[in-house]
Amino acid sequence: MTSLDASTPVTALAALVRGAVFGPDDPAAAVETAAYNLMTVHRPDVALLAADAADVAAAVSFAGRTGRTVAVQATGHSAAAAGPGSVLVLTRLLDEVTVDPVARTARVGAGVRWQQVLDAAAPYGLAALCGSAPGVGVVGYTLGGGLGPLGREYGYAADRVREIEVVTAGGEPVRATADREPELFRALRGGGAAFGIVTAMTIELVPVPTVFGGGIFYSTDIARTVLRRWQQWAPTLPEHAGTSIARLNLPDDPMLPPPLRGCPVVHLRFTATGPAEDAARLLAPMRAAGPALLDTVAEIPFAAIGSVHMDPPQPLPALERGALLAELPEAAVEAFAEITAPSAGLPFTVAELRRLGGALAREADVPNTVSGRAAAYSLFVVGVAVPPVAEAVPGALDAVLARMAPWSSGGSLLNFAGRGQRDAAFAPGDLERLRRLRAAVDPSGILAASARWS
C-alpha cells in the first residue's frame, strides 16, 4: 500500500482490489511492469498486479470512471506500451492451469505461459498448440492467431479455442463461445486484445506426446546451397511435418554451443509427428545438403519443443517485421540469400522463412479472424536494437521486406507484424467488421492501449 492521499489513483484503485497497486514513483513499479521486450517501456498513471478476474473488472471500471485507458501485460513479449493517462493491468498471477484429459482441454489463466501448459498436459500424452518459444504467454499469443510447430497438422492456436472469459470495456465479465457472444468470440480469436481483457480461456489439446524435432545449423559459406535445397524440399512435406529456415547473426554468448558463438549461420528447423524413423527419412534430403555445424534433430518429449528454435529466454530490446509470401520461386530464394548475407551488412538478428499450408490454409470449424490463410510462406525478421547498431535496425528490417516484396501476398500474421503493420494483418472486410465491433463494445476507447491495430 501507499501513504499517498486518498484522492490519488493509487489509493483509489487500491481500495477496490485485492492485488498490489503501484504508482509511477513507486520503486517497485519498474520491476513489476518490466516487459520481456525491452522496447516496451510502460509509464501508466497506475499499475495493478491483479489477484483475480474481479480485480481486472474493477480496474477496467475504474479506468472508465476516471477517464483513463487500459493496457494489459502478461509477459510483455509484444505488449503495447501504457503511457500517461492509463491503467496497466498485470495478469501474471492469473496462472491457473487445469487439464481435462478426457475432454482434451486445458483452462488457462491470463498469466499462464506455454511451458506451464506443456508440462501439465504431458503426463496425459497431450500437447498444446504453442509457438516456438514456450516462455510466451498463452493468451496474448492465441489472441494474435498463434502459429506454432504443429500448425500444418492442427492449424492456428486460435482455431482450437473453446471458450474465452473476458472483461468488457464496461467492466463486465463475459463468457464468449461459439454459441454465446459469437461475434465477440470470433473477433477475439485472431483479432488481438482490442475487445476486452481476457482473464482465462479454454483451449483444445492434441494427442502428441513426442515429436521428432530440432535444428540443423550450417555455415553461411553454403547458405545458397542449403536455401535452394530447402526451397525444393519444403513443399514436398506432408501436413504432419513443419519447417522453417533462418539466417541468424548470433552473439558471442557463452550460453551458445561453441560452433555457433558470434557467427552468422543458417538454421533449419524441423518437426514431425508419427514414427521417428519415418520423420528421419523425411529429413534426409536436408541432412545431405551439406556438412552441419550442429544437428540437434531427434525424438523429444513435446514439452521440450522450445529446443527446436532455441529462442533466447532473456529479455531483449527487439524490433520485428513480418510479411506473407504467395510463393517462393528460385528468384525469391536468391533474393533472400543476397539481402540476408553477411556481405549485405544488415544488422538483423533473425530472418526466417516458414512453410505454411496444410491445416493453416483451412478455415477453422468455428470461424475466427485469423487471416492470410492463402499464403504459402511467412517471412519474419527480428533485430535487437542495441548499440552500436540500434539506429540502423529498423532500416535493416525494412530492407529485407522490401527485397522480398515481389513475392508478397500482402499483409502479415498479426503476431509477426511490426507496430506499423497491424492493420494490414487483416483482409479489408475483416478489418471493417472488427472496427464496427470495436465501436460497439468500446465506444469511449477505454481499451485503446490494449489494441494491436488502430
Side-chain angles (χ1 to χ4, degrees), residues 184-285:
L184 179 61
F185 188 59
R186 180 186 184 280
L188 285 167
R189 294 174 303 124
F195 311 95
I197 296 183
V198 173
T199 56
M201 61 172 52
T202 300
I203 60 174
E204 296 177 15
L205 303 175
V206 296
V208 181
T210 62
V211 66
F212 188 80
I216 304 177
F217 293 86
Y218 305 90
S219 167
T220 193
D221 294 339
I222 59 170
R224 276 182 165 79
T225 299
V226 172
L227 287 166
R228 288 172 185 149
R229 177 70 61 85
W230 186 85
Q231 179 252 351
Q232 297 163 1
W233 168 78
T236 70
L237 293 175
E239 291 188 5
H240 68 269
T243 185
S244 67
I245 196 163
R247 299 289 291 256
L248 308 181
N249 291 316
L250 296 173
D252 188 8
D253 187 337
M255 297 293 288
L256 292 171
L260 309 182
R261 293 178 191 170
C263 296
V265 297
V266 178
H267 185 197
L268 168 76
R269 294 85 174 261
F270 177 76
T271 59
T273 59
E277 57 272 21
D278 293 345
R281 282 193 289 271
L282 290 175
L283 182 60

Side-chain angles (χ1 to χ4, degrees), residues 258-434:
L260 309 182
R261 293 178 191 170
C263 296
V265 297
V266 178
H267 185 197
L268 168 76
R269 294 85 174 261
F270 177 76
T271 59
T273 59
E277 57 272 21
D278 293 345
R281 282 193 289 271
L282 290 175
L283 182 60
M286 291 307 302
R287 280 184 159 155
L293 298 173
L294 183 67
D295 184 337
T296 69
V297 186
E299 187 171 29
I300 57 174
F302 191 81
I305 194 67
S307 65
V308 174
H309 279 239
M310 297 173 57
D311 289 347
Q314 71 273 19
L316 295 167
L319 295 170
E320 55 196 40
R321 303 283 191 275
L324 292 170
L325 306 182
E327 58 179 346
L328 192 71
E330 289 185 12
V333 173
E334 187 64 24
F336 181 81
E338 178 183 287
I339 195 66
T340 60
S343 59
L346 297 182
F348 66 87
T349 304
V350 181
E352 178 198 68
L353 294 167
R354 188 179 307 206
R355 177 66 176 165
L356 302 178
L360 298 168
R362 297 191 284 271
E363 294 296 329
D365 291 342
V366 178
N368 60 30
T369 317
V370 177
S371 60
R373 293 184 185 268
Y377 296 86
S378 165
L379 169 66
F380 186 46
V381 194
V382 181
V384 178
V386 294
V389 300
E391 292 186 0
V393 168
L397 307 187
D398 291 339
V400 176
L401 260 63
R403 187 67 182 87
M404 300 300 291
W407 302 280
S408 172
S409 64
S412 169
L413 298 173
L414 184 60
N415 282 345
F416 289 177
R419 295 291 185 203
Q421 296 183 295
R422 290 172 178 169
D423 283 9
F426 304 101
D430 280 342
L431 184 59
E432 289 308 311
R433 185 171 181 170
L434 292 172

Side-chain angles (χ1 to χ4, degrees), residues 18 49 52 55 73 97 168 178 192 198 227 272 287 289 344 362 384 417 443:
R18 293 176 54 229
L49 183 58
D52 50 31
D55 274 6
Q73 174 174 291
V97 179
T168 68
V198 173
L227 287 166
R287 280 184 159 155
R362 297 191 284 271
V384 178

